[in-house]
Amino acid sequence: PGKKVLIVYAHQEPKSFNGSLLKIAVEELTKQGCSVTVSDLYTMQFEPRATRNDIVGHLHNSEAFNYGVETWEAYKRGGLSKDLVEEQKKVQEADLLIFQFPLFWFNMPAILKGWMDRVLVQGFAYDLSKVYDGGLLQDKLSLFSFTTGGGPEMYSKEGIGGDIRYVLWPMQHGIMHFCGVKVLEPHICYAPENVSEEKRKEMLAAWTQRLKTLWKEEPIDCSPEWYFK
Amino acid sequence: PGKKVLIVYAHQEPKSFNGSLLKIAVEELTKQGCSVTVSDLYTMQFEPRATRNDIVGHLHNSEAFNYGVETWEAYKRGGLSKDLVEEQKKVQEADLLIFQFPLFWFNMPAILKGWMDRVLVQGFAYDLSKVYDGGLLQDKLSLFSFTTGGGPEMYSKEGIGGDIRYVLWPMQHGIMHFCGVKVLEPHICYAPENVSEEKRKEMLAAWTQRLKTLWKEEPIDCSPEWYFK
């Protein structure tokens, strides 16, 4: 109650299963008294490309464009583009970040990857030697909630897709943990397009159920052992 | 000699280290008699977002937009957008795909992830049960060539970033192997921004050197053991 949640959502269709998961999260968290903000990336036509347009005004070094250096410098002087400043404000205010998306090629869709690339700039999310447990976005939680095309048997240690945790490493450890954000257990809905309507309903009910006790959960131990044991 | 190479390049600045690596590859492979095509994604302003715009004309199901289904159907009837058709033609003709990029957040930049999301559609790159060793892009090779921010000590099994191979799993196995493309050893230049000019020159020379005998290389054994042993 009173907690602030930012849901970064990457699906084109409100009637999709991802759309239903989003709706459930907004309703359930609002019901709990949380303040919920949604960044609906496709509707916003969010720009995924990291370019010179992200810097307002002059460049630090116009001889050779270095995105990392330029956004860092721009952040310090308040010269990042408006869409980035708005997303950073939402992140800053949030206690919990939920990422809702369909897994595309063992990773997040490009539009969401672009959100990570452009919003989490140096100075804002991390800094020189302020990384991992020292990252700048401490005291925040994150949760990756996604759907897959393949079933759970594919994403097992013996399956051809390997343990699903292998694909979580770059997202949870490489991005969230790097910025100091704690990570809750991922929420994975396997192959909603290939199961019965009844099973889909069960999957949606399970998400509602999980959200009811979400604030009592402990973050995972974000170490290589969790991912690769 | 006579081989066709497609280099998919994702850096904004020609004067960057990635730009130098691209230049070297184009020059060395051309010198060998290869035919080299470059998809320079930032210069092309390549669209990374997977949207309805990728389908020309009517939708298969306009009630609820499903990107995977719609692009599959559009591929079969020749109804994908022009930019995708052009990229697919380049892929179809290539014997070797080289991806040249700076590692962003333990993965490829969004603009390159968008190329994967949009170009490698069902029907073209894989199909029902035609995946992994049965994928539709067999008899092709791929090579991920990238730069990192952190040094090699960070990306070691004991380092905080974990073994660099962990980040290769979604790219090499989840994308290339999934489509039947064989994978050569990645080419990794660690932290070019943080080393001496002399060391940078050595790294560039090593890339030229590797390219000279590239066609004699055997693909890696793309199994979980290679990544997580």
Side-chain angles (χ1 to χ4, degrees), chain A residues 140-154:
Chain A
K140 294 183 195 302
L141 295 168
S142 63
L143 193 167
F144 286 83
S145 173
F146 58 96
T147 58
T148 67
E153 69 294 343
M154 187 183 133

Side-chain angles (χ1 to χ4, degrees), chain B residues 180-193:
Chain B
V181 180
K182 290 184 182 61
V183 178
L184 297 177
E185 282 275 353
H187 198 84
I188 307 167
C189 292
Y190 288 100
E193 293 183 29

Side-chain angles (χ1 to χ4, degrees), chain A residues 179-197:
Chain A
C179 299
V181 180
K182 291 184 181 60
V183 178
L184 297 176
E185 282 275 353
H187 198 83
I188 308 168
C189 292
Y190 288 101
E193 293 183 29
N194 298 326
V195 299
S196 66
E197 184 60 29

Side-chain angles (χ1 to χ4, degrees), chain B residues 106-136:
Chain B
F106 280 47
N107 211 303
M108 57 192 96
I111 199 168
L112 179 53
K113 179 57 166 55
W115 187 94
M116 305 284 179
D117 290 351
R118 297 178 62 234
V119 175
L120 304 176
V121 306
Q122 184 162 354
F124 172 70
Y126 66 96
D127 215 329
L128 297 172
S129 79
K130 289 181 179 167
V131 296
Y132 290 108
D133 293 342
L136 296 176

Side-chain angles (χ1 to χ4, degrees), chain A residues 52-161:
Chain A
R52 193 258 175 265
N53 298 336
D54 292 351
I55 296 100
V56 177
H58 74 274
L59 292 177
H60 181 71
N61 175 8
S62 57
E63 290 299 307
F65 182 74
N66 181 315
Y67 187 79
V69 170
E70 292 298 340
T71 49
W72 185 21
E73 292 295 335
Y75 177 78
K76 286 187 281 187
R77 67 172 172 82
L80 285 177
S81 63
K82 193 162 156 284
D83 61 335
L84 297 192
V85 173
E86 281 174 11
E87 292 306 300
Q88 289 178 345
K89 189 155 176 282
K90 295 178 196 171
V91 171
Q92 199 63 70
E93 289 176 352
D95 298 296
L96 167 65
L97 311 172
I98 297 180
F99 300 100
Q100 181 64 56
F101 60 98
L103 198 69
F104 272 23
W105 291 117
F106 280 47
N107 212 304
M108 57 192 95
I111 199 169
L112 179 53
K113 179 57 167 52
W115 187 93
M116 305 284 179
D117 290 352
R118 297 178 61 234
V119 174
L120 304 176
V121 306
Q122 183 162 355
F124 171 70
Y126 65 96
D127 215 330
L128 296 172
S129 80
K130 290 181 179 167
V131 295
Y132 291 108
D133 294 342
L136 295 177
L137 302 180
Q138 290 173 47
D139 304 320
K140 294 183 195 302
L141 295 168
S142 63
L143 193 167
F144 286 83
S145 173
F146 58 96
T147 58
T148 67
E153 69 294 343
M154 187 183 133
Y155 289 111
S156 65
K157 205 156 185 171
E158 290 72 33
I160 183 85

